[in-house]
Amino acid sequence: MDDMLFRNAMGRFASGITVITTEVEGEVHGMTANAFMSVSLQPKLVVVSIREQAHMLEQIKKSQKYAVNILASDQQELSINFAGQIKEKIDVSFDRLNGLPVLKGSLAQVTCEVVNKHVEGDHTLFIGKVTAIHLEEGEPLLYFNGKYRTLAVEEV
Ligand code: FAD
């Protein structure tokens, strides 16, 4: 099957956007990801899927921890930055949650400890046990068909 057909089909699944963050020996690393989902309520588990070429793969293998930052509608620049789509690295300031770096202003910050990993094809799924959550109010940044979107606000 054609790769582009597969990509186009998956792109029809509208999603939010996250930046996955972790830290190894004092160095913070972030990566934009929309392959994220909730897995279990008891215990509280989530999963992220990281492609084999991503630097993030080695970082999470080393730290065995990660945070999921669910982006707000005004954080598109951060998504573009952490997807490596702008040349000049921007200066990002991080808050801390449960010892992990998290992005200020994201709608939800969820810290996790890796409890399992599954290599599937060219991606690795990291199952994370949730260790802390911080919520902020706001509207989400969305992604559909390869483009950023925001929710339409309907007057009632
Ligand atoms: P790098 O390419 O080394 O880093 C990514 C970027 O983040 C670089 O520009 C770097 O300068 C910047 N950066 C890293 N740390 C910091 C810091 N501390 N301060 C400031 N900037 C920093 N890939 C997946 O594997 N899974 C997905 O689910 C996924 N979903 C995606 C969804 C969208 C909408 C997009 C646009 C991309 C997605 N990607 C996904 C692709 C992924 O974001 C890119 O391939 C990314 O560049 C891979 O990151 P890396 O770990 O190799 O790190």
Side-chain angles (χ1 to χ4, degrees), residues 23 33 48 54 73 83 100 107-108 111-112 119 132 138:
E23 187 171 37
V48 293
S73 54
L100 275 168
L107 295 184
T111 63
C112 309
V119 179

Side-chain angles (χ1 to χ4, degrees), residues 66-82:
Y66 62 85
V68 179
N69 302 270
I70 298 177
L71 297 190
S73 54
D74 61 357
Q75 293 181 310
Q76 186 175 324
E77 189 190 27
L78 289 176
S79 176
I80 293 167
N81 175 70
F82 287 104

Side-chain angles (χ1 to χ4, degrees), residues 118-125:
H118 305 273
V119 179
E120 298 294 345
D122 55 12
H123 278 59
T124 299
L125 309 181

Side-chain angles (χ1 to χ4, degrees), residues 99-145:
L100 275 168
V102 289
L103 285 173
K104 281 179 196 295
S106 49
L107 295 184
Q109 305 161 357
V110 181
T111 63
C112 309
E113 285 172 9
V114 174
V115 290
N116 224 327
K117 80 175 164 67
H118 305 273
V119 179
E120 298 294 345
D122 55 12
H123 278 59
T124 299
L125 309 181
F126 288 101
I127 310 293
K129 182 179 166 199
V130 174
T131 51
I133 290 177
H134 174 76
L135 299 179
E136 305 253 346
E137 294 305 316
E139 296 291 317
L141 181 62
L142 305 178
Y143 201 67
F144 174 68
N145 239 356

